[in-house]
Amino acid sequence: MPEHRQAKIVFSPSGKHGQFPVGTPVLQAARELGVDIDSICGGRALCGRCQVEPVEGNFAKEGIVSSPDHLDGLTEDELYALENGQLLAGNRLSCRAKILADVRIDVPPASQVHQQVVRKEYDARPIELDPLVHLYFTQVAEPDLKHPEGDLQRLLKALEKDWGLAELDCDFSVLQSLQSALRDGQWQVTVAVRDGTRIVAIWPGLQEHLYGAAVDVGSTTIAVHLCDLSSGDVMSSAGAMNPQIRYGEDLMSRVSYAMLNPQGAGQMTAAVRSAINELLAKVIDRAKTDVSQVLEITLVGNPIMHHLLLGLDPTPLGSSPFALATSRSTELPATELGLQLAAGTRAYILPCIAGHVGADTAAVMLAETPWQLDEMSLIIDVGTNAEIVLGNRDRIMATSSPTGPAFEGAQISAGQRAAPGAIERVRIDPKTLEPKFKVIGGQLWSDDPGFKDELGEQEVTGICGSGIIEAIASMYLAGIIRPDGVIDGSTAKRNPRIESSERTFSYLLHKGQPDIRILQADVRAIQLAKAALYAGARLLMDHMGVETVDRIRLAGAFGSHIDVKYAMVLGLIPDCDLEKVSSANNAAGTGARIALLNKASRREIEKRVREVEKIETAIDESFQDHFVEALGIPQENA
Amino acid sequence: MPEHRQAKIVFSPSGKHGQFPVGTPVLQAARELGVDIDSICGGRALCGRCQVEPVEGNFAKEGIVSSPDHLDGLTEDELYALENGQLLAGNRLSCRAKILADVRIDVPPASQVHQQVVRKEYDARPIELDPLVHLYFTQVAEPDLKHPEGDLQRLLKALEKDWGLAELDCDFSVLQSLQSALRDGQWQVTVAVRDGTRIVAIWPGLQEHLYGAAVDVGSTTIAVHLCDLSSGDVMSSAGAMNPQIRYGEDLMSRVSYAMLNPQGAGQMTAAVRSAINELLAKVIDRAKTDVSQVLEITLVGNPIMHHLLLGLDPTPLGSSPFALATSRSTELPATELGLQLAAGTRAYILPCIAGHVGADTAAVMLAETPWQLDEMSLIIDVGTNAEIVLGNRDRIMATSSPTGPAFEGAQISAGQRAAPGAIERVRIDPKTLEPKFKVIGGQLWSDDPGFKDELGEQEVTGICGSGIIEAIASMYLAGIIRPDGVIDGSTAKRNPRIESSERTFSYLLHKGQPDIRILQADVRAIQLAKAALYAGARLLMDHMGVETVDRIRLAGAFGSHIDVKYAMVLGLIPDCDLEKVSSANNAAGTGARIALLNKASRREIEKRVREVEKIETAIDESFQDHFVEALGIPQENA
């Protein structure tokens, strides 16, 4: 033991350490050493956030022998916290436990201020948890006849004294609930402070939970994820069809609807907001929390979804020069978007990049951070348009390519959205030209004995985007389709599935209710779509001056369902080592979640969006050349 | 003429002068010399704001001979402006007129940026016009496919280029109307910018007018004044009874109503907001303008009016320690107060000083600026409470004294509010003890021959606050009332108007429908009220350590109607040279107007309110002593 009754304390995982007088609370030692330990109640043993684990062991490297006994005994506050499950057995509240002798203290991830949130995606970095809104508990002085300061001014003084929060602004809605919160809480309240500058909510007594919602507004589906802002965990998720579909299946038909109907844009704005409200109610209910605790929401979407969500006119986006109302991020009270959230809740909408490249692509960029890599990354988000990003730490470009909705199963004779009953995998035997396929919702191939049982009452209803890609690629690999995309009529002799219809041929994939055929027109539609996608990627590569890319990331539903091998057979994407082609899953939704959980990421993506070089396919001649060239199927892939 | 074809220009009234190459536009010369000339269109000859008058004459002091001919001939733009009345004959548009030879240019007040707004009150300084919101016209670049910047970003660029306005924020409501404004105005728009930092409104083309409203929310009446923010002129005014009266005549009964009825405060909030909305519609209609051009509103009121207006709970103000929800100013979108104004309109509510001393007193202070004087000023605003300010440039104190509503005619047997039919002036002949009086709305005394004709069908309905003061002072001066306030029964022998009733006496002021008598109880009520008022003033003088004051200002309706001599006879106010006692008219309303027209005044009053020493009568023993002493009528005044 050191002289004069000092003891050594070592914190892990930071490794920070120091000497302190015996009797020093662990939290105080941590603060003095700059070890970030979370707290809402400010050391009042109320919130349980500051709990730590004293470790048993001989730590030669740090020169100490540590034991949980080297802290003083459990205090009454800690016994109470143990009883009500707030404190884990073996842990201590760092605001209560005092140092008696040398000790090593493990700060568990949940007690760290800037904890890392792990992501599921392959090859993805964790998110550093650093949300905009934080909770602070405080004790406010009671009013005093001699010092006629207002309730608000006494609250501000308490927050400055307890938490060093100076010169805070205060939402008017908070002022309106301040009087009752202070009196109901007997002058103890918890406030939510946004960005260290503004009080956006208040509760009587101690409030420990805070949530945020990340929303991906797709033209087809809307997805909402509710996240715990103190852990980063997704508490609940919900999705729904975008009800705007009743006004137009694809984006351009929605813009037309807005052009032709004076109230059209307003109807679509109301529809999408109401769908988001329903999903918000659902995720809040599923997470068993209360709407008053949801204080942040981030939203992403393509430019037309972005404008309709914000109540902006989408019609300038319908024709050249495709003028955005704003190309910056937008932040505003969520209630101004018609969202049924608390008055203090702020909505943040990521910036659009250009008239065809939206906030969804900005979110994909934020999820993928190509600017952190030396490798040249090609990131493709296939929806109605393909939005394409190419770059590395030196330079980033983005464009949008008019693939049309064929990859989503639209404009395909038997096409449908990815939903139960849709064919999603196809193989064709090159000898017999007989097919086998898998259906969404099932595990078995169609030639497996149990296939019909597994299907049960579910009919095979159509073919989705990934299914049509595999079908056409398999037809090509089996020799049914020629490199120029024509269904070869001579194969009809080998298998009756190749059928003649007027002057073209088709392939019967499935005899059922309905029959599912791949028509020549379907092959043509996919050829056009894949040529557009490929030409967009090539255009960026030309501008970048590269012949190959180091890695390819496929985002979105299509990107996560597609079998990369077949995409490459068809020539959807430029050549790349198959090992280096991977799915980025729902990168747009992930980007929305990152913007929700990490405030610095908002400034980061705003800066990147300003810097990214925007390439316009419509006015670039080489796009046309690439497009025409890419209409066929690359023969080297055969 | 100076060499190299230079000419001298002198601007009046600033006296700024310089040499410029022949052909320099006058506006450019003014800008280079730092002469403030107004402009909305930025030198495009559209707004007419920059017009100036070239002067004929030999100005020996400046060494020039000036003539209007020393500018070039009228341009087409100026001829057009002359025709449509935008340009006064003899004036020139400084953005168009070019200097040919030495010239003296007079900048008329309406073309100066910081013009002075003259006030009607005796002894009042002019207001320097410097409102928060200004208009800027600009030409925005059209959208360009190659540079996909949003409409907003191109607008911001244009404002920075034309007006040096950098890094502006933009209200969401402006973003929502931006697209149509730009296209309707063919890429020319006018924006309203608040405090040089935020766009709060936008119009297609040129918009030249901007208004603001100043609102005085009294417990009895509400007054609204609509001001032109570019001239400071009051365009229209309107007043109405405060509809909260149906929930309680005086402040404390309204607080009781809020205490006893769960929805009570909400009802009163809705009532006052709806009354303000009606008045706003009226003043906007009278000024023949449009609500979209009203972009600022300032509001003042006592603490209870302040809380009810803001939707805050007034009940803590009903009992000690009289806790305010906030003692700072409040600024928020006017729509959040339920006011039917434009989305970009901001409301500014002056700060309350203490639980009994409200934003109305802050406004009175702002109108009176006692901190600019060496003289010790006593400022009294008599309403249901008397709010009293004492101070000079060294030190300022404020208090509130519970006079009750007697001075407003309430709690007086024949009392009524100041309205047509109310007696407002009273004289009593000391010999005959016969009275004469004047009635509101009339010019003649009651003993004038034409009095009844002038009255017409109007009955004499009661006696108002100033009438009761004069009646009692006259009764005292005529010997009907003794210094202790007792009506002297022995005078009944001299005139039958002195009548006996139970154990006290009364004085019949007017025989009519109804009879108007001054009862002993009325005298007692006024004694209590005036003792409270006097004791409040004396209390401040004690704290300040002064025996006399240098000047007295009486604010509010009571203060502007009262005859100062009779107030002093009764001992309402401390002794002061009668010459130095004057009315401050509606100083609270004036303060609201100053806060509307001059942005610096807001920071000024916020600072003064924090610094003012708040004296609480309820806990000060010497207040009780002064109060008891002041119950009688000062004999030296007899």
Side-chain angles (χ1 to χ4, degrees):
Chain A
M1 288 271 287
E3 76 252 308
H4 297 316
R5 299 177 35 74
Q6 295 250 327
K8 193 167 180 182
I9 186 164
V10 180
F11 288 97
S12 60
S14 66
K16 289 179 177 170
H17 55 87
Q19 301 262 20
F20 292 89
V22 162
T24 304
V26 172
L27 185 60
Q28 185 186 325
R31 295 223 162 128
E32 290 182 23
L33 291 172
V35 176
D36 275 342
I37 295 185
D38 202 9
S39 173
I40 289 172
C41 71
R44 290 178 174 85
L46 295 172
C47 70
R49 288 295 177 93
C50 71
Q51 63 187 282
V52 293
E53 186 186 358
V55 186
E56 182 85 51
N58 187 337
F59 297 96
K61 198 175 131 208
E62 284 119 10
I64 64 165
V65 174
S66 171
S67 159
D69 298 343
H70 293 181
L71 298 177
D72 65 346
L74 281 166
T75 61
E76 270 190 40
D77 288 333
E78 289 169 289
L79 289 170
Y80 179 78
L82 267 173
E83 266 173 43
N84 66 25
Q86 207 175 36
L87 185 64
L88 293 179
N91 279 7
R92 299 295 303 271
L93 291 180
S94 60
C95 64
R96 283 297 172 268
K98 290 179 182 142
I99 308 167
L100 298 185
D102 289 359
V103 67
R104 182 179 161 118
I105 297 285
D106 190 47
V107 183
S111 300
Q112 294 168 15
V113 174
H114 296 286
Q115 53 184 289
Q116 303 279 310
V117 181
V118 179
R119 286 163 58 185
K120 284 176 301 185
E121 300 91 338
Y122 164 82
D123 207 19
R125 284 147 212 274
I127 305 167
E128 188 190 284
L129 190 62
D130 188 16
L132 270 149
V133 189
H134 290 274
L135 294 172
Y136 300 94
F137 174 87
T138 195
Q139 168 88 42
V140 178
E142 296 190 26
D144 174 355
L145 193 56
K146 288 190 186 165
H147 302 284
E149 282 193 299
D151 290 343
L152 176 59
Q153 287 66 41
R154 281 175 281 111
L155 169 65
L156 295 176
K157 269 197 182 166
L159 288 169
E160 180 158 10
K161 179 169 151 278
D162 284 359
W163 295 99
L165 293 162
E167 313 238 335
L168 291 181
D169 286 326
C170 177
D171 275 5
F172 183 57
S173 61
V174 172
L175 180 60
Q176 288 187 312
S177 48
L178 175 65
Q179 295 167 297
S180 61
L182 285 171
R183 287 160 181 85
D184 293 351
Q186 294 175 294
W187 311 100
Q188 295 189 328
V189 290
T190 305
V191 296
V193 175
R194 189 165 199 280
D195 213 10
T197 59
R198 174 173 277 272
I199 307 175
V200 295
I202 187 167
W203 297 266
L206 182 68
Q207 165 63 247
E208 301 186 71
H209 297 287
L210 210 50
Y211 302 93
V215 184
D216 181 4
V217 185
S219 12
T220 309
T221 56
I222 302 173
V224 175
H225 307 284
L226 189 74
C227 298
D228 183 325
L229 294 185
S230 59
S231 69
D233 295 341
V234 176
M235 307 301 293
S236 56
S237 299
M241 296 297 287
N242 187 332
Q244 291 173 344
I245 285 174
R246 83 176 75 107
Y247 305 104
E249 180 89 6
D250 60 56
L251 287 171
M252 280 308 136
S253 42
R254 289 186 212 166
V255 173
S256 303
Y257 185 78
M259 281 177 178
L260 299 173
N261 298 279
Q263 307 301 323
Q267 289 170 337
M268 290 188 279
T269 295
V272 69
R273 291 176 176 183
S274 130
I276 295 172
N277 276 326
E278 281 171 30
L279 291 172
L280 283 170
K282 209 173 270 183
V283 293
I284 290 168
D285 185 58
R286 282 181 190 163
K288 297 191 182 4
T289 179
D290 184 83
V291 68
S292 68
Q293 293 169 38
V294 180
L295 286 183
E296 279 288 311
I297 182 168
T298 54
L299 302 110
V300 303
N302 64 51
I304 290 166
M305 291 303 101
H306 170 278
H307 276 44
L308 287 173
L309 170 69
L310 286 173
L312 303 173
D313 182 4
T315 60
L317 298 171
S319 54
S320 182
F322 311 108
L324 291 164
T326 176
S327 45
R328 295 285 172 90
S329 65
T330 303
E331 191 180 292
L332 74 171
T335 53
E336 287 192 37
L337 287 182
L339 299 182
Q340 286 152 14
L341 292 171
T345 306
R346 299 301 195 277
Y348 177 81
I349 299 99
L350 273 71
C352 289
I353 297 172
H356 277 319
V357 191
D360 48 355
T361 308
V364 168
M365 283 174 61
L366 186 54
E368 291 292 305
T369 58
W371 53 80
Q372 292 186 337
L373 299 177
D374 293 320
E375 293 171 300
M376 183 61 65
S377 302
L378 178 68
I379 307 163
I380 298 176
D381 190 359
V382 175
T384 306
N385 289 320
E387 293 174 345
I388 310 171
V389 175
L390 176 70
N392 60 11
R393 67 173 75 251
D394 297 323
R395 198 174 173 193
I396 297 179
M397 294 174 173
T399 194
S400 165
S401 194
T403 50
F407 290 147
E408 294 188 313
Q411 297 178 353
I412 299 297
S413 59
Q416 70 159 79
R417 279 189 222 98
I423 294 173
E424 60 167 346
R425 296 261 169 271
V426 178
R427 299 288 180 271
I428 296 176
D429 186 313
K431 288 184 191 140
T432 64
L433 306 188
E434 275 300 301
K436 63 177 182 179
F437 56 83
K438 273 187 181 175
V439 164
I440 292 181
Q443 297 297 321
L444 302 177
W445 286 97
S446 58
D447 60 352
D448 284 328
F451 177 75
K452 285 213 167 144
D453 292 344
E454 191 192 53
L455 213 57
E457 292 191 7
Q458 171 72 61
E459 294 284 343
V460 178
T461 51
I463 186 162
C464 72
S466 59
I468 189 83
I469 297 294
E470 294 198 6
I472 293 173
S474 297
M475 285 165 74
Y476 173 70
L477 292 173
I480 300 169
I481 292 179
R482 299 196 315 229
D484 63 2
V486 172
I487 299 179
D488 186 348
S490 69
T491 56
K493 292 172 289 188
R494 296 171 51 200
N495 190 316
R497 287 180 182 270
I498 294 101
E499 302 168 334
S500 168
S501 151
E502 302 197 6
R503 292 188 303 172
T504 62
F505 290 85
S506 62
Y507 180 78
L508 178 67
L509 184 58
H510 174 64
K511 179 103 195 129
Q513 202 55 265
D515 289 347
I516 294 172
R517 287 186 176 78
I518 309 296
L519 307 186
Q520 181 65 57
D522 299 336
V523 182
R524 290 288 179 231
I526 290 296
Q527 278 181 284
L528 291 170
K530 73 113 189 169
L533 175 56
Y534 182 85
R538 281 300 315 184
L539 180 67
L540 290 191
M541 290 165 71
D542 286 355
H543 279 267
M544 189 67 79
V546 297
E547 273 302 307
T548 56
V549 299
D550 300 322
R551 58 197 283 275
I552 299 179
R553 298 278 285 172
L554 299 170
F558 179 80
S560 42
H561 282 105
I562 201 172
D563 184 317
V564 170
K565 190 183 133 201
Y566 290 86
M568 216 172 275
V569 163
L570 270 194
L572 260 71
I573 50 177
D575 276 347
C576 182
D577 182 354
L578 263 187
E579 291 281 295
K580 302 293 273 180
V581 183
S582 56
S583 164
N585 290 337
N586 175 20
T590 302
R593 196 153 58 88
I594 294 172
L596 184 70
L597 297 178
N598 181 289
K599 63 184 179 193
S601 73
R602 300 186 183 185
R603 301 298 88 80
E604 172 88 18
I605 194 58
E606 288 159 9
K607 174 170 164 283
R608 298 296 172 178
V609 162
R610 279 197 300 278
E611 290 170 353
V612 68
E613 296 169 54
K614 292 101 185 169
I615 310 295
E616 179 57 51
T617 53
I619 50 172
D620 203 304
E621 279 183 24
S622 65
F623 177 80
Q624 295 304 324
D625 297 340
H626 284 302
F627 179 77
V628 171
E629 231 171 83
L631 282 168
I633 301 170
Q635 286 181 265
E636 65 269 32
N637 292 332
Chain B
M1 285 272 288
E3 77 252 308
H4 298 317
R5 300 178 33 71
Q6 294 249 328
K8 193 169 179 182
I9 188 165
V10 180
F11 288 97
S12 60
S14 66
K16 289 179 177 168
H17 56 87
Q19 302 262 21
F20 291 89
V22 161
T24 304
V26 172
L27 185 60
Q28 186 187 324
R31 294 223 164 127
E32 290 181 23
L33 292 171
V35 175
D36 274 342
I37 295 185
D38 202 8
S39 172
I40 290 171
C41 71
R44 289 178 176 84
L46 296 172
C47 70
R49 289 295 177 92
C50 71
Q51 62 186 282
V52 294
E53 186 186 358
V55 187
E56 182 85 49
N58 187 338
F59 299 95
K61 199 174 133 208
E62 284 119 9
I64 65 166
V65 175
S66 171
S67 159
D69 298 341
H70 292 181
L71 299 178
D72 64 347
L74 280 166
T75 60
E76 271 190 39
D77 288 334
E78 289 171 289
L79 290 170
Y80 180 78
L82 266 172
E83 266 174 42
N84 67 23
Q86 208 174 34
L87 185 64
L88 293 179
N91 279 7
R92 299 295 304 271
L93 291 182
S94 59
C95 65
R96 284 295 173 268
K98 289 179 182 143
I99 309 167
L100 298 184
D102 290 359
V103 67
R104 183 180 160 116
I105 297 287
D106 191 46
V107 183
S111 300
Q112 294 168 14
V113 174
H114 296 287
Q115 53 183 292
Q116 304 279 309
V117 181
V118 178
R119 286 164 56 186
K120 285 176 299 188
E121 300 92 336
Y122 164 82
D123 207 18
R125 284 149 213 272
I127 306 166
E128 188 191 285
L129 190 62
D130 189 15
L132 270 150
V133 188
H134 290 272
L135 293 173
Y136 301 93
F137 175 86
T138 194
Q139 168 88 43
V140 178
E142 295 190 28
D144 174 355
L145 193 57
K146 287 190 188 164
H147 303 284
E149 281 194 299
D151 290 344
L152 176 59
Q153 287 66 44
R154 280 175 283 111
L155 169 65
L156 295 176
K157 268 195 183 168
L159 289 169
E160 179 158 9
K161 180 171 150 278
D162 285 358
W163 295 99
L165 292 162
E167 313 238 333
L168 291 180
D169 286 326
C170 177
D171 274 6
F172 183 57
S173 61
V174 172
L175 179 60
Q176 287 186 315
S177 48
L178 176 64
Q179 295 167 296
S180 62
L182 285 171
R183 286 161 183 84
D184 292 351
Q186 293 176 292
W187 310 100
Q188 295 190 329
V189 290
T190 306
V191 296
V193 175
R194 188 165 200 280
D195 212 11
T197 60
R198 173 173 277 272
I199 307 174
V200 295
I202 188 167
W203 297 267
L206 183 68
Q207 165 62 248
E208 301 187 71
H209 297 287
L210 210 50
Y211 303 93
V215 184
D216 181 4
V217 185
S219 12
T220 308
T221 57
I222 302 174
V224 175
H225 307 284
L226 189 75
C227 297
D228 183 326
L229 294 185
S230 58
S231 68
D233 295 341
V234 176
M235 306 301 293
S236 56
S237 298
M241 298 295 289
N242 186 332
Q244 290 174 344
I245 285 174
R246 84 177 74 108
Y247 305 104
E249 181 87 9
D250 60 54
L251 287 171
M252 280 307 136
S253 42
R254 290 185 212 167
V255 173
S256 303
Y257 185 78
M259 281 177 178
L260 298 173
N261 298 279
Q263 308 301 324
Q267 288 170 337
M268 291 188 280
T269 294
V272 70
R273 291 177 175 183
S274 132
I276 296 172
N277 276 326
E278 282 171 32
L279 292 171
L280 283 170
K282 209 173 270 182
V283 294
I284 289 168
D285 186 57
R286 283 182 189 164
K288 298 191 185 358
T289 179
D290 185 82
V291 68
S292 68
Q293 293 168 38
V294 181
L295 286 183
E296 279 287 314
I297 183 168
T298 54
L299 302 110
V300 304
N302 64 50
I304 289 165
M305 291 303 101
H306 170 279
H307 276 44
L308 287 174
L309 170 70
L310 286 173
L312 303 174
D313 182 5
T315 59
L317 299 170
S319 54
S320 181
F322 312 107
L324 290 165
T326 176
S327 45
R328 294 286 171 90
S329 64
T330 304
E331 191 179 291
L332 74 170
T335 52
E336 286 193 37
L337 288 182
L339 299 182
Q340 285 150 16
L341 292 170
T345 307
R346 299 301 195 277
Y348 177 82
I349 299 99
L350 273 72
C352 289
I353 298 172
H356 277 320
V357 191
D360 49 355
T361 307
V364 168
M365 285 174 59
L366 187 55
E368 291 291 307
T369 58
W371 53 80
Q372 291 186 337
L373 300 177
D374 294 321
E375 293 172 298
M376 182 61 65
S377 302
L378 179 68
I379 307 162
I380 298 177
D381 190 0
V382 175
T384 306
N385 289 318
E387 293 174 345
I388 310 170
V389 175
L390 176 70
N392 60 12
R393 65 172 77 250
D394 297 324
R395 198 174 173 193
I396 296 180
M397 293 174 174
T399 193
S400 167
S401 193
T403 51
F407 289 146
E408 296 188 311
Q411 298 178 353
I412 300 295
S413 60
Q416 70 159 82
R417 279 190 220 96
I423 293 174
E424 60 165 347
R425 296 260 169 273
V426 178
R427 300 288 180 271
I428 296 175
D429 186 313
K431 287 186 190 139
T432 63
L433 308 188
E434 275 300 300
K436 63 177 182 179
F437 57 83
K438 274 189 181 173
V439 164
I440 291 181
Q443 297 296 322
L444 302 178
W445 287 98
S446 57
D447 59 354
D448 284 327
F451 178 74
K452 282 213 169 144
D453 291 344
E454 190 192 52
L455 213 56
E457 293 193 5
Q458 172 72 60
E459 294 284 343
V460 178
T461 50
I463 186 163
C464 73
S466 59
I468 189 83
I469 298 294
E470 293 197 7
I472 292 172
S474 297
M475 285 165 75
Y476 173 70
L477 291 173
I480 301 170
I481 293 180
R482 300 195 315 228
D484 63 2
V486 172
I487 298 179
D488 186 347
S490 69
T491 56
K493 292 172 288 188
R494 294 170 52 199
N495 190 316
R497 288 180 182 270
I498 293 101
E499 302 169 335
S500 169
S501 150
E502 302 200 3
R503 292 188 304 175
T504 62
F505 291 86
S506 63
Y507 180 77
L508 179 67
L509 185 56
H510 174 65
K511 181 100 194 134
Q513 201 57 268
D515 289 347
I516 294 173
R517 286 186 176 80
I518 309 296
L519 308 186
Q520 182 64 58
D522 299 336
V523 182
R524 290 289 177 230
I526 290 296
Q527 278 181 285
L528 290 171
K530 73 111 189 171
L533 175 56
Y534 183 85
R538 281 301 313 184
L539 180 67
L540 290 192
M541 291 165 70
D542 286 357
H543 278 267
M544 188 70 77
V546 296
E547 273 303 308
T548 56
V549 298
D550 299 322
R551 57 197 284 275
I552 298 180
R553 298 279 284 173
L554 299 170
F558 180 79
S560 41
H561 282 106
I562 202 171
D563 184 318
V564 170
K565 188 185 133 199
Y566 290 86
M568 216 172 272
V569 163
L570 270 194
L572 258 70
I573 50 177
D575 277 347
C576 182
D577 182 353
L578 262 188
E579 291 281 296
K580 301 294 274 178
V581 183
S582 57
S583 164
N585 290 336
N586 175 20
T590 302
R593 197 153 58 89
I594 294 171
L596 184 69
L597 296 178
N598 181 291
K599 63 184 176 190
S601 72
R602 300 186 183 185
R603 301 298 90 79
E604 172 88 18
I605 193 58
E606 288 159 10
K607 174 171 164 279
R608 299 295 171 180
V609 162
R610 281 197 299 278
E611 290 169 356
V612 67
E613 297 170 54
K614 293 100 185 167
I615 310 294
E616 179 56 54
T617 53
I619 51 173
D620 202 304
E621 280 184 22
S622 66
F623 177 80
Q624 294 305 324
D625 296 341
H626 284 303
F627 178 77
V628 172
E629 231 169 82
L631 281 169
I633 301 171
Q635 285 180 264
E636 66 268 33
N637 291 332

